[in-house]
Amino acid sequence: MESFGSIECFVRSAEGGSFAEAARHLSLTPAAVGKSVAKLEARLGVRLFQRSTRRLTLTEAGKLFLEEVSASLTTIQNAVANLASAEGRPVGTLRVSMGTVFGNRYVVPLLGEFMRRFPDISPDWHFDNRQVDLIGQGFDAAIGGGFELPQGVVARKLTPAHRVLVASPDYLAQSPPVLVPEDLARCLGILIRSPQTGRIRSWQLTSAAREHRPLVLKPRMTMSDSEAACCASAQGLGIALVSMPMAVPFLDSGAVVRVLPDWYVDDGNISIYYAEHKLLPGKTRAFVDFIIEQFAEHQLSQRFSAI
């Protein structure tokens, strides 16, 4: 068991790049993690890391050892977790990352039903509008869109990630008609700034007939959040390009209406991500299957489609 713990300390240190990151994942102190890795190195008779004040770097032997043990370690941990299920029910802490507004609006309302079905799972949900290192940071799953798919991670589509143009009825009543995409160039735009890069993104509009046009608006203000852009647009401040999940409540209430309803931006998919394992933990499988089932039952894919 001591050797198993030392191997886990090594793998987490390699994934996180430091003993401190591994310690946070394992609920240990950095000193304890470092001591455990040092014992492993002594038993193996090789140095696994080159140590510096800022970061750990794997030696050639360390890289080879990591390739050999990381997949097996995960399989063993998942097997132990599944065997620990109470009367065959999934158990354990479920770490999930999701966007703040999307998660609160569409995932948290499902929590009560999820807990009734799986009372032995303890949710540990993180709300953040950025891509996380699913494996390196120890998450069981993540929900989001526009993520690069790292090796060893699986994505299951939940809904298309369409964006639509919206404005308040008052703004449109006081502005020249917008009949074709070229008419947008004279309209005030509420532009979206990427929270990751800080840049204003360029978009291409797609029609229901699969025609393409560049999206050009007269800059009026910038936002880094679709819900904030919806709020600004509802006040008659301009036309905003926003994600459908954020736009739906504003469209339903009549605070905004779609501009050029036959045109939209295809921004890929909103998916649920999880690590690819031969033996997936019961808690993760239960969550993935539940979310896919609930999105289908509530027809969210249809509601979030701009077509």
Side-chain angles (χ1 to χ4, degrees), residues 191-256:
L191 307 183
I192 295 293
R193 185 183 300 278
S194 169
Q196 286 79 30
T197 67
R199 298 175 182 173
I200 296 174
R201 296 181 62 178
S202 298
W203 303 97
Q204 179 174 255
L205 291 169
T206 299
S207 73
R210 305 306 295 177
E211 298 176 88
H212 301 289
R213 296 286 188 278
L215 171 59
V216 180
L217 287 163
K218 188 185 300 182
R220 178 67 178 87
M221 64 185 70
T222 58
M223 301 282 180
S224 64
D225 177 79
S226 279
E227 185 170 50
C230 279
C231 289
S233 183
Q235 296 175 58
L237 301 178
I239 295 176
L241 177 72
V242 297
S243 65
M244 274 295 288
M246 301 303 105
V248 163
F250 292 85
L251 291 168
D252 288 347
S253 70
V256 299

Side-chain angles (χ1 to χ4, degrees), residues 245-267:
M246 301 303 105
V248 163
F250 292 85
L251 291 168
D252 288 347
S253 70
V256 299
V257 295
R258 285 186 62 177
V259 180
L260 296 175
D262 290 333
W263 294 83
Y264 66 99
V265 168
D266 186 348
D267 200 22

Side-chain angles (χ1 to χ4, degrees), residues 153-174:
V153 174
V154 176
R156 297 278 300 277
K157 177 183 173 181
L158 295 175
T159 171
H162 290 166
R163 294 175 180 266
V164 294
L165 293 159
V166 299
S168 71
D170 288 343
Y171 175 83
L172 294 177
Q174 298 169 17

Side-chain angles (χ1 to χ4, degrees), residues 68-296:
E68 294 289 340
V69 303
S70 58
S72 298
L73 175 67
T74 301
T75 299
I76 293 170
Q77 289 175 322
N78 292 346
V80 171
N82 288 339
L83 285 174
S85 297
E87 299 178 355
R89 295 180 302 184
V91 300
T93 299
L94 181 72
R95 297 190 75 227
V96 181
S97 172
M98 65 192 81
T100 304
V101 177
F102 184 88
N104 277 299
R105 182 171 290 170
Y106 299 109
V107 183
V108 172
L110 307 176
L111 182 58
E113 176 61 24
F114 181 74
M115 294 302 295
R116 280 189 286 274
R117 292 193 198 181
F118 308 106
D120 298 308
I121 294 178
S122 177
D124 179 11
W125 290 4
H126 299 245
F127 299 86
D128 198 357
N129 298 321
R130 62 182 178 87
Q131 183 175 0
V132 297
D133 182 351
L134 193 75
I135 297 173
Q137 294 179 260
F139 284 99
D140 297 296
I143 297 174
F147 293 167
E148 294 181 8
L149 199 61
Q151 185 176 2
V153 174
V154 176
R156 297 278 300 277
K157 177 183 173 181
L158 295 175
T159 171
H162 290 166
R163 294 175 180 266
V164 294
L165 293 159
V166 299
S168 71
D170 288 343
Y171 175 83
L172 294 177
Q174 298 169 17
S175 302
V178 180
L179 303 177
V180 294
E182 289 73 17
D183 293 336
L184 294 169
R186 61 176 181 264
C187 298
L188 297 178
I190 302 168
L191 307 183
I192 295 293
R193 185 183 300 278
S194 169
Q196 286 79 30
T197 67
R199 298 175 182 173
I200 296 174
R201 296 181 62 178
S202 298
W203 303 97
Q204 179 174 255
L205 291 169
T206 299
S207 73
R210 305 306 295 177
E211 298 176 88
H212 301 289
R213 296 286 188 278
L215 171 59
V216 180
L217 287 163
K218 188 185 300 182
R220 178 67 178 87
M221 64 185 70
T222 58
M223 301 282 180
S224 64
D225 177 79
S226 279
E227 185 170 50
C230 279
C231 289
S233 183
Q235 296 175 58
L237 301 178
I239 295 176
L241 177 72
V242 297
S243 65
M244 274 295 288
M246 301 303 105
V248 163
F250 292 85
L251 291 168
D252 288 347
S253 70
V256 299
V257 295
R258 285 186 62 177
V259 180
L260 296 175
D262 290 333
W263 294 83
Y264 66 99
V265 168
D266 186 348
D267 200 22
N269 298 309
I270 296 172
S271 301
I272 184 165
Y273 301 81
Y274 56 96
E276 183 178 24
H277 296 307
K278 293 180 181 178
L279 185 61
L280 195 66
K283 61 181 180 179
T284 307
R285 172 59 62 193
F287 180 71
V288 170
D289 290 345
F290 174 81
I291 291 296
I292 292 172
E293 169 204 299
Q294 291 295 306
F295 268 63

